[in-house]
Amino acid sequence: GLIRTARFAPDTHTVLYGALWDGGPCRVYTVRDDNPQSSFLDLPDAAPLSISSKGELAISLGQHRLGIMPYGTLARVPLAGGAPRELQENVKYADWSPDGLDLALVRRVDDHDVLEYPVGRVIAEPERASGGFSFVRVAPDGATVAAFELDQRTWLTGRVVIVDRDGRRRSVSRSFFNVFGLAWRGDEVWFTAADALPLFRNTLYAMNMGGDVRIIARIPGNVSLHDIAVDGRVLLARTDDRGGMTFNAGAGDDRDMSWLDATVLADMSADGRTVLFTERGVGGGSRESAYMRTTDGAAAVRLGDGTALSLSPDARWAVVRTEAEAPHLELVPTAAGTARRLERAGLHIINARWLGEEDRFVALASTNRGVQLFVLGGADDSVRALTPVGEHAPTSGWAASPDGSAVAVHVGQQIRVYAVSDGTSRLVPGNHSGSQLTRWIDDGLLVTDSALGDGTVHRVNPLTGARSVWARVAPRDPAGLMNVSLDALAATRDGRMYSYSWHRALSDLYLAEGWG
């Protein structure tokens, strides 16, 4: 399973950690350095965030199964036992001051993160509107706090910042990739990050108050720093992060179609015999790699650099977005043949899918006016806007009908269907907020409910708006499952077969000694 957090107790020989074992919820466990046997603490489902010098535990209650950095309800509870006292909602991380009186925390307020120390006093907000914070830790002298300032609230790219109680930024590092895990050792901040994309988080760094950064160690695999004891011993978790893909052939026949370390589904052929996917991890390389594979389990075929997007109905061509030379889309043959560019003057094409059997596409593209869907190709090789600029730009997915005659576009609470022939549109009845439109099969539109997070896929009738459960999608083994990427769901026209992607993280906790 996955280890969420780990902290030394004041005696430095006891460790409390939060883990999701065998697909269960996050619970608090305790283990000593002289005995590998863990025991469960009699607490509600939670992740431990910090242990005070007075023996009081700060925990995060709430949803801990999904996501990399989930928000929960901050609570405090004595290590000796008792019922947790809830303090604040929407808290990501928290840390006790050295005297055990105050807490520093990262909290979401009005859909953005703030850094507070003590609780209720904001000492920092992200410099970027879309940014956030993570892994707040109070310095041994209690005067300053360190945290990661993230470029995006849910991303793992950012810099280390040291902020004092008055909100002054004392030091800021350069930007690092895959930042996850931070703790103080003396007057230095130690943290784990990646050297560069798409590498694993393989390096342990230290930054002093002047902003100078040095390398402590490089470690094979994906490593996260959790805590440092006063004697210098270090708690590290080494995690096997995998992105995988499952093909369901019907009647409960699930097949693992994963290839390298970060397989992300793009599309599936109409007959369910071929899947198109991207390798986005170390195996895929710095430019990512597009692959195709038959669902009978044969070896995958690498089509080239780039991000796979769409497969032609006859599976003879794939649309791939590549960053080589200049960002553009290519039509890549899946057998013998020559690749050709898919581009139009004035359009920056972001994504494209085939429309029926013809050599026509619906493309998501940006212009100097904004983002729209366009119809490309056909006998006259024309370009025609399908959706207007502005409020009707696709925000929550879009899908072409199986026969290529219409395109459904999800915007906010609405799903609107556009006729490819003349661009006329109509609304699908009902409120469709909180959903992601993924595919259009013969029986209707497939949408996922982001609020449920349990792999439920609904079918929506494009004429009446009636909604019903189509499938509950998840790998059979729940251990370490972080999420099921239903936005990449693909299905055959009849809906009997489907494919989807998922992310799994399995970790081990280590005690490291001898680093200076």
Side-chain angles (χ1 to χ4, degrees), residues 104 114-118 121-127 133 136-139 141-149 159-173 182 184 189 207 209:
V114 297
L115 194 59
E116 298 181 3
Y117 183 51
R121 181 178 182 181
V122 177
I123 61 172
E125 297 196 20
E127 291 187 346
F133 294 103
V136 59
R137 301 301 295 267
V138 182
D141 63 4
T144 58
V145 299
F148 290 125
E149 182 175 2
R159 60 207 56 81
V160 179
V161 295
I162 299 175
V163 186
D164 65 22
R165 282 179 175 264
D166 295 323
R168 290 190 295 266
R169 297 190 177 216
R170 294 294 186 87
S171 185
V172 180
S173 75
L182 179 149
W184 286 90
V189 177
M207 185 181 82
M209 295 294 289

Short mmCIF file of all heavy atoms in Angstrom, two decimals, residues 104 114-118 121-127 133 136-139 141-149 159-173 182 184 189 207 209:
data_model
loop_
_atom_site.label_atom_id
_atom_site.label_comp_id
_atom_site.label_asym_id
_atom_site.label_seq_id
_atom_site.Cartn_x
_atom_site.Cartn_y
_atom_site.Cartn_z
N ALA A 104 1.52 25.54 12.57
CA ALA A 104 1.58 26.12 11.22
C ALA A 104 0.82 25.18 10.31
O ALA A 104 0.86 23.95 10.50
CB ALA A 104 3.03 26.27 10.77
N VAL A 114 -3.37 28.97 1.53
CA VAL A 114 -2.68 29.99 2.32
C VAL A 114 -1.79 29.27 3.34
O VAL A 114 -2.06 28.14 3.74
CB VAL A 114 -3.65 30.94 3.04
CG1 VAL A 114 -4.47 31.72 2.04
CG2 VAL A 114 -4.54 30.18 4.03
N LEU A 115 -0.73 29.95 3.74
CA LEU A 115 0.17 29.46 4.77
C LEU A 115 -0.10 30.24 6.05
O LEU A 115 -0.04 31.47 6.06
CB LEU A 115 1.61 29.66 4.31
CG LEU A 115 2.73 28.94 5.06
CD1 LEU A 115 2.54 27.43 5.02
CD2 LEU A 115 4.08 29.32 4.45
N GLU A 116 -0.44 29.52 7.13
CA GLU A 116 -0.80 30.17 8.39
C GLU A 116 0.15 29.74 9.50
O GLU A 116 0.55 28.58 9.59
CB GLU A 116 -2.23 29.81 8.80
CG GLU A 116 -3.30 30.25 7.82
CD GLU A 116 -4.71 29.89 8.29
OE1 GLU A 116 -4.84 29.35 9.41
OE2 GLU A 116 -5.67 30.15 7.55
N TYR A 117 0.52 30.73 10.35
CA TYR A 117 1.32 30.44 11.54
C TYR A 117 1.26 31.63 12.48
O TYR A 117 1.74 32.71 12.14
CB TYR A 117 2.78 30.17 11.14
CG TYR A 117 3.67 29.79 12.31
CD1 TYR A 117 3.31 28.78 13.20
CD2 TYR A 117 4.88 30.45 12.51
CE1 TYR A 117 4.15 28.43 14.26
CE2 TYR A 117 5.72 30.10 13.56
CZ TYR A 117 5.35 29.10 14.43
OH TYR A 117 6.17 28.74 15.48
N PRO A 118 0.57 31.43 13.65
CA PRO A 118 -0.20 30.24 14.07
C PRO A 118 -1.53 30.15 13.33
O PRO A 118 -1.77 30.94 12.40
CB PRO A 118 -0.40 30.49 15.56
CG PRO A 118 -0.44 31.99 15.67
CD PRO A 118 0.57 32.48 14.67
N ARG A 121 -3.59 33.03 11.30
CA ARG A 121 -2.78 34.18 10.88
C ARG A 121 -2.07 33.82 9.58
O ARG A 121 -1.15 33.00 9.56
CB ARG A 121 -1.75 34.54 11.94
CG ARG A 121 -0.89 35.75 11.56
CD ARG A 121 0.09 36.09 12.65
NE ARG A 121 0.86 37.28 12.32
CZ ARG A 121 1.81 37.79 13.10
NH1 ARG A 121 2.09 37.21 14.25
NH2 ARG A 121 2.47 38.86 12.72
N VAL A 122 -2.49 34.45 8.50
CA VAL A 122 -1.91 34.17 7.18
C VAL A 122 -0.57 34.88 7.06
O VAL A 122 -0.49 36.10 7.19
CB VAL A 122 -2.86 34.62 6.06
CG1 VAL A 122 -2.20 34.39 4.70
CG2 VAL A 122 -4.19 33.87 6.14
N ILE A 123 0.48 34.09 6.81
CA ILE A 123 1.81 34.70 6.64
C ILE A 123 2.29 34.63 5.20
O ILE A 123 3.29 35.27 4.85
CB ILE A 123 2.85 34.03 7.56
CG1 ILE A 123 3.00 32.54 7.25
CG2 ILE A 123 2.50 34.26 9.02
CD1 ILE A 123 4.15 31.87 7.98
N ALA A 124 1.59 33.88 4.34
CA ALA A 124 2.00 33.83 2.93
C ALA A 124 0.85 33.32 2.08
O ALA A 124 0.06 32.46 2.51
CB ALA A 124 3.22 32.92 2.74
N GLU A 125 0.77 33.87 0.88
CA GLU A 125 -0.12 33.38 -0.16
C GLU A 125 0.72 33.11 -1.40
O GLU A 125 1.78 33.71 -1.58
CB GLU A 125 -1.23 34.39 -0.47
CG GLU A 125 -2.15 34.65 0.72
CD GLU A 125 -3.44 35.34 0.30
OE1 GLU A 125 -3.78 35.28 -0.90
OE2 GLU A 125 -4.10 35.91 1.18
N PRO A 126 0.29 32.20 -2.27
CA PRO A 126 1.09 31.89 -3.46
C PRO A 126 1.27 33.11 -4.34
O PRO A 126 0.36 33.93 -4.49
CB PRO A 126 0.26 30.81 -4.18
CG PRO A 126 -0.66 30.26 -3.13
CD PRO A 126 -0.94 31.39 -2.20
N GLU A 127 2.47 33.23 -4.91
CA GLU A 127 2.72 34.36 -5.81
C GLU A 127 1.94 34.21 -7.11
O GLU A 127 1.60 35.19 -7.75
CB GLU A 127 4.22 34.48 -6.09
CG GLU A 127 5.02 34.93 -4.87
CD GLU A 127 6.46 35.21 -5.19
OE1 GLU A 127 6.92 34.82 -6.29
OE2 GLU A 127 7.15 35.84 -4.36
N PHE A 133 0.63 25.51 -1.65
CA PHE A 133 1.71 25.16 -0.72
C PHE A 133 1.59 23.70 -0.32
O PHE A 133 0.51 23.09 -0.43
CB PHE A 133 1.65 26.03 0.55
CG PHE A 133 1.92 27.48 0.33
CD1 PHE A 133 0.89 28.41 0.31
CD2 PHE A 133 3.23 27.94 0.15
CE1 PHE A 133 1.13 29.75 0.13
CE2 PHE A 133 3.48 29.29 -0.05
CZ PHE A 133 2.43 30.20 -0.06
N VAL A 136 4.43 22.07 5.09
CA VAL A 136 4.88 23.13 5.98
C VAL A 136 5.57 22.51 7.20
O VAL A 136 5.08 21.54 7.78
CB VAL A 136 3.71 24.03 6.41
CG1 VAL A 136 2.62 23.23 7.12
CG2 VAL A 136 4.19 25.17 7.29
N ARG A 137 6.73 23.06 7.58
CA ARG A 137 7.47 22.61 8.76
C ARG A 137 8.04 23.82 9.51
O ARG A 137 8.61 24.74 8.88
CB ARG A 137 8.61 21.66 8.38
CG ARG A 137 8.19 20.41 7.63
CD ARG A 137 7.22 19.54 8.41
NE ARG A 137 7.80 18.97 9.61
CZ ARG A 137 8.38 17.77 9.65
NH1 ARG A 137 8.48 17.02 8.55
NH2 ARG A 137 8.87 17.31 10.78
N VAL A 138 7.90 23.81 10.83
CA VAL A 138 8.38 24.91 11.66
C VAL A 138 9.85 24.67 12.01
O VAL A 138 10.25 23.56 12.36
CB VAL A 138 7.55 25.03 12.94
CG1 VAL A 138 8.03 26.21 13.79
CG2 VAL A 138 6.07 25.19 12.61
N ALA A 139 10.66 25.74 11.95
CA ALA A 139 12.08 25.64 12.26
C ALA A 139 12.28 25.33 13.74
O ALA A 139 11.42 25.62 14.57
CB ALA A 139 12.79 26.94 11.90
N ASP A 141 13.89 26.83 15.95
CA ASP A 141 13.80 28.00 16.83
C ASP A 141 12.39 28.58 16.90
O ASP A 141 12.13 29.53 17.66
CB ASP A 141 14.79 29.07 16.40
CG ASP A 141 14.50 29.62 14.99
OD1 ASP A 141 13.48 29.22 14.39
OD2 ASP A 141 15.31 30.43 14.50
N GLY A 142 11.46 28.02 16.10
CA GLY A 142 10.08 28.48 16.12
C GLY A 142 9.84 29.81 15.45
O GLY A 142 8.69 30.29 15.41
N ALA A 143 10.87 30.44 14.88
CA ALA A 143 10.73 31.79 14.32
C ALA A 143 10.31 31.78 12.85
O ALA A 143 9.75 32.76 12.35
CB ALA A 143 12.03 32.56 14.48
N THR A 144 10.63 30.71 12.14
CA THR A 144 10.34 30.65 10.72
C THR A 144 9.71 29.30 10.37
O THR A 144 9.80 28.33 11.13
CB THR A 144 11.62 30.82 9.87
OG1 THR A 144 12.56 29.81 10.24
CG2 THR A 144 12.23 32.20 10.07
N VAL A 145 9.07 29.28 9.20
CA VAL A 145 8.53 28.03 8.68
C VAL A 145 9.05 27.85 7.25
O VAL A 145 9.35 28.82 6.55
CB VAL A 145 6.98 28.00 8.68
CG1 VAL A 145 6.44 28.13 10.09
CG2 VAL A 145 6.42 29.08 7.77
N ALA A 146 9.17 26.59 6.85
CA ALA A 146 9.54 26.25 5.48
C ALA A 146 8.41 25.46 4.85
O ALA A 146 7.68 24.73 5.54
CB ALA A 146 10.83 25.44 5.46
N ALA A 147 8.28 25.60 3.55
CA ALA A 147 7.24 24.87 2.81
C ALA A 147 7.62 24.85 1.34
O ALA A 147 8.50 25.61 0.90
CB ALA A 147 5.87 25.53 3.00
N PHE A 148 6.98 24.00 0.60
CA PHE A 148 7.06 24.07 -0.85
C PHE A 148 6.00 25.05 -1.34
O PHE A 148 4.82 24.95 -0.95
CB PHE A 148 6.78 22.70 -1.50
CG PHE A 148 7.86 21.68 -1.29
CD1 PHE A 148 7.55 20.45 -0.73
CD2 PHE A 148 9.17 21.92 -1.67
CE1 PHE A 148 8.52 19.49 -0.55
CE2 PHE A 148 10.15 20.98 -1.50
CZ PHE A 148 9.83 19.75 -0.93
N GLU A 149 6.40 26.00 -2.19
CA GLU A 149 5.42 26.81 -2.91
C GLU A 149 5.27 26.22 -4.30
O GLU A 149 6.23 26.17 -5.07
CB GLU A 149 5.85 28.28 -3.00
CG GLU A 149 4.80 29.13 -3.70
CD GLU A 149 5.14 30.61 -3.70
OE1 GLU A 149 6.21 30.98 -3.18
OE2 GLU A 149 4.32 31.39 -4.22
N ARG A 159 9.12 25.43 -5.48
CA ARG A 159 10.37 25.86 -4.86
C ARG A 159 10.21 25.83 -3.35
O ARG A 159 9.09 25.85 -2.83
CB ARG A 159 10.72 27.27 -5.33
CG ARG A 159 9.70 28.32 -5.01
CD ARG A 159 9.69 29.48 -5.96
NE ARG A 159 9.51 29.07 -7.34
CZ ARG A 159 8.32 28.77 -7.87
NH1 ARG A 159 7.23 28.83 -7.13
NH2 ARG A 159 8.22 28.40 -9.12
N VAL A 160 11.33 25.78 -2.64
CA VAL A 160 11.32 25.84 -1.18
C VAL A 160 11.31 27.30 -0.76
O VAL A 160 12.12 28.11 -1.25
CB VAL A 160 12.55 25.13 -0.59
CG1 VAL A 160 12.54 25.22 0.93
CG2 VAL A 160 12.59 23.67 -1.03
N VAL A 161 10.42 27.67 0.15
CA VAL A 161 10.36 29.03 0.68
C VAL A 161 10.48 28.97 2.21
O VAL A 161 9.95 28.06 2.85
CB VAL A 161 9.06 29.76 0.28
CG1 VAL A 161 9.00 29.97 -1.21
CG2 VAL A 161 7.84 29.01 0.78
N ILE A 162 11.21 29.91 2.76
CA ILE A 162 11.33 30.07 4.21
C ILE A 162 10.73 31.42 4.57
O ILE A 162 11.15 32.46 4.05
CB ILE A 162 12.79 29.99 4.67
CG1 ILE A 162 13.39 28.62 4.31
CG2 ILE A 162 12.90 30.23 6.17
CD1 ILE A 162 14.86 28.49 4.63
N VAL A 163 9.70 31.40 5.43
CA VAL A 163 8.93 32.60 5.77
C VAL A 163 8.92 32.76 7.28
O VAL A 163 8.76 31.78 8.02
CB VAL A 163 7.48 32.48 5.24
CG1 VAL A 163 6.72 33.78 5.46
CG2 VAL A 163 7.46 32.09 3.76
N ASP A 164 9.08 34.01 7.76
CA ASP A 164 9.04 34.23 9.21
C ASP A 164 7.61 34.53 9.65
O ASP A 164 6.68 34.63 8.84
CB ASP A 164 10.01 35.31 9.64
CG ASP A 164 9.68 36.70 9.09
OD1 ASP A 164 8.50 36.94 8.73
OD2 ASP A 164 10.58 37.55 9.04
N ARG A 165 7.44 34.70 10.95
CA ARG A 165 6.10 34.91 11.52
C ARG A 165 5.43 36.19 11.01
O ARG A 165 4.20 36.30 11.02
CB ARG A 165 6.20 34.99 13.04
CG ARG A 165 6.35 33.64 13.74
CD ARG A 165 6.46 33.85 15.24
NE ARG A 165 6.50 32.60 15.98
CZ ARG A 165 5.45 32.03 16.56
NH1 ARG A 165 4.26 32.60 16.45
NH2 ARG A 165 5.57 30.90 17.25
N ASP A 166 6.24 37.14 10.55
CA ASP A 166 5.68 38.40 10.04
C ASP A 166 5.41 38.37 8.54
O ASP A 166 5.04 39.39 7.95
CB ASP A 166 6.65 39.55 10.35
CG ASP A 166 6.79 39.79 11.84
OD1 ASP A 166 5.77 39.64 12.56
OD2 ASP A 166 7.91 40.09 12.30
N GLY A 167 5.62 37.22 7.92
CA GLY A 167 5.32 37.09 6.50
C GLY A 167 6.45 37.46 5.58
O GLY A 167 6.26 37.52 4.36
N ARG A 168 7.64 37.74 6.12
CA ARG A 168 8.79 38.06 5.26
C ARG A 168 9.40 36.77 4.73
O ARG A 168 9.65 35.82 5.48
CB ARG A 168 9.83 38.85 6.04
CG ARG A 168 9.41 40.26 6.40
CD ARG A 168 10.60 41.04 6.97
NE ARG A 168 11.04 40.45 8.23
CZ ARG A 168 10.64 40.86 9.42
NH1 ARG A 168 9.76 41.85 9.51
NH2 ARG A 168 11.10 40.28 10.52
N ARG A 169 9.65 36.76 3.43
CA ARG A 169 10.29 35.60 2.80
C ARG A 169 11.80 35.73 2.99
O ARG A 169 12.44 36.56 2.36
CB ARG A 169 9.92 35.51 1.32
CG ARG A 169 8.42 35.29 1.11
CD ARG A 169 8.08 34.94 -0.32
NE ARG A 169 6.65 34.68 -0.44
CZ ARG A 169 6.11 33.77 -1.23
NH1 ARG A 169 6.91 33.03 -1.99
NH2 ARG A 169 4.80 33.59 -1.28
N ARG A 170 12.34 34.85 3.83
CA ARG A 170 13.76 34.92 4.15
C ARG A 170 14.61 34.29 3.05
O ARG A 170 15.75 34.71 2.81
CB ARG A 170 14.02 34.22 5.48
CG ARG A 170 13.37 34.91 6.67
CD ARG A 170 13.99 36.28 6.91
NE ARG A 170 13.51 36.91 8.12
CZ ARG A 170 14.02 36.73 9.33
NH1 ARG A 170 15.04 35.92 9.49
NH2 ARG A 170 13.52 37.36 10.37
N SER A 171 14.08 33.25 2.40
CA SER A 171 14.86 32.57 1.38
C SER A 171 13.92 31.81 0.44
O SER A 171 12.87 31.31 0.88
CB SER A 171 15.84 31.59 2.03
OG SER A 171 16.68 31.00 1.07
N VAL A 172 14.32 31.75 -0.83
CA VAL A 172 13.54 31.03 -1.84
C VAL A 172 14.52 30.28 -2.74
O VAL A 172 15.49 30.85 -3.23
CB VAL A 172 12.67 31.98 -2.69
CG1 VAL A 172 11.88 31.20 -3.72
CG2 VAL A 172 11.73 32.79 -1.81
N SER A 173 14.27 29.01 -2.98
CA SER A 173 15.14 28.20 -3.84
C SER A 173 14.73 28.37 -5.30
O SER A 173 13.71 28.99 -5.61
CB SER A 173 15.06 26.73 -3.45
OG SER A 173 13.83 26.16 -3.89
N LEU A 182 9.70 17.29 3.11
CA LEU A 182 10.53 18.40 3.58
C LEU A 182 10.62 18.34 5.10
O LEU A 182 9.64 18.02 5.79
CB LEU A 182 9.91 19.71 3.10
CG LEU A 182 10.54 21.04 3.45
CD1 LEU A 182 10.27 22.06 2.34
CD2 LEU A 182 10.01 21.58 4.78
N TRP A 184 13.27 20.06 8.66
CA TRP A 184 14.42 20.83 9.13
C TRP A 184 15.45 19.91 9.75
O TRP A 184 15.13 18.94 10.45
CB TRP A 184 13.99 21.84 10.19
CG TRP A 184 13.24 23.03 9.67
CD1 TRP A 184 11.89 23.13 9.50
CD2 TRP A 184 13.79 24.28 9.27
NE1 TRP A 184 11.56 24.37 9.01
CE2 TRP A 184 12.72 25.11 8.86
CE3 TRP A 184 15.09 24.79 9.20
CZ2 TRP A 184 12.89 26.40 8.40
CZ3 TRP A 184 15.27 26.09 8.74
CH2 TRP A 184 14.19 26.88 8.35
N VAL A 189 17.08 23.26 5.58
CA VAL A 189 15.86 22.58 5.17
C VAL A 189 16.25 21.47 4.21
O VAL A 189 16.86 21.73 3.16
CB VAL A 189 14.88 23.55 4.47
CG1 VAL A 189 13.64 22.80 4.00
CG2 VAL A 189 14.49 24.67 5.41
N MET A 207 18.95 22.99 1.88
CA MET A 207 19.07 24.42 1.60
C MET A 207 19.27 25.17 2.91
O MET A 207 18.54 24.94 3.89
CB MET A 207 17.81 24.93 0.90
CG MET A 207 17.91 26.40 0.47
SD MET A 207 16.42 27.04 -0.34
CE MET A 207 15.41 27.44 1.08
N MET A 209 19.76 28.94 5.14
CA MET A 209 18.97 30.16 5.24
C MET A 209 19.35 31.19 4.18
O MET A 209 18.57 32.09 3.87
CB MET A 209 19.13 30.78 6.63
CG MET A 209 18.59 29.91 7.76
SD MET A 209 16.79 29.70 7.69
CE MET A 209 16.26 31.35 8.15
#
